[in-house]
Amino acid sequence: MMNNQAFSFFSYRDPNNTKTLSVFDNAAEWAIKGQFTDQQITEAKIVIIGKLDAPIAPGRRGISEFLGGANLEQRQAYRNGIFEATKEDLQRVAALYLAPDQLHGNVVVGPETETERFRRLGYLIDSFGQ
């Protein structure tokens, strides 16, 4: 929950992977520009808190705290941070971590026949498992 993590977008069995990569780039720009409403922020907070507060089986409580690295006080502080986040906070964080000039990468797993198309689009290609 509170460890350093990567921010990721995912797509699965995507027949339009180059378009999807463009959509992902546009999503970062959308967040940086703050093109979302207060209603959307409220709904997102509800979803996030709902996932954080989902019931945990008694046998999993201790292991969750051990593996997650957060005790109840830390979890509450995290929860409070979500409640208190403003549109400006979200824009600032998006600009800090999602801006195009930030170190990032794209991984597309697919048939080798697509390699040349991605190379023409300017992607560096690494092939694995050969």
Side-chain angles (χ1 to χ4, degrees):
M1 172 179 79
M2 296 169 53
N3 299 329
N4 292 331
Q5 298 180 9
F7 187 88
S8 303
F9 290 106
F10 293 95
S11 176
Y12 181 70
R13 292 190 178 198
D14 190 342
N16 301 302
N17 46 27
T18 51
K19 183 177 179 184
T20 299
L21 291 173
S22 176
V23 169
F24 291 167
D25 288 339
N26 291 337
E29 184 178 328
W30 171 85
I32 292 167
K33 290 182 177 179
Q35 296 175 319
F36 43 85
T37 66
D38 289 337
Q39 177 69 28
Q40 290 170 315
I41 294 170
T42 299
E43 291 172 4
K45 288 177 181 183
I46 291 168
V47 169
I48 293 167
I49 297 299
K51 289 181 180 182
L52 287 175
D53 291 344
I56 300 172
R60 300 285 306 163
R61 284 191 187 134
I63 194 73
S64 294
E65 187 173 315
F66 177 74
L67 294 176
N71 62 33
L72 290 176
E73 291 172 357
Q74 292 167 322
R75 288 176 54 86
Q76 186 59 49
Y78 185 74
R79 197 178 281 107
N80 292 346
I82 293 168
F83 277 127
E84 296 167 6
T86 65
K87 183 174 188 172
E88 293 74 23
D89 292 332
L90 298 174
Q91 286 180 262
R92 179 181 46 78
V93 170
L96 184 63
Y97 294 106
L98 303 179
D101 62 342
Q102 294 298 316
L103 181 63
H104 69 281
N106 297 311
V107 176
V108 176
V109 178
E112 196 166 338
T113 56
E114 295 290 301
T115 302
E116 192 53 42
R117 180 170 65 99
F118 277 94
R119 190 172 277 122
R120 283 193 309 270
L121 292 170
Y123 288 92
L124 300 174
I125 308 296
D126 282 326
S127 297
F128 301 97
Q130 296 187 5

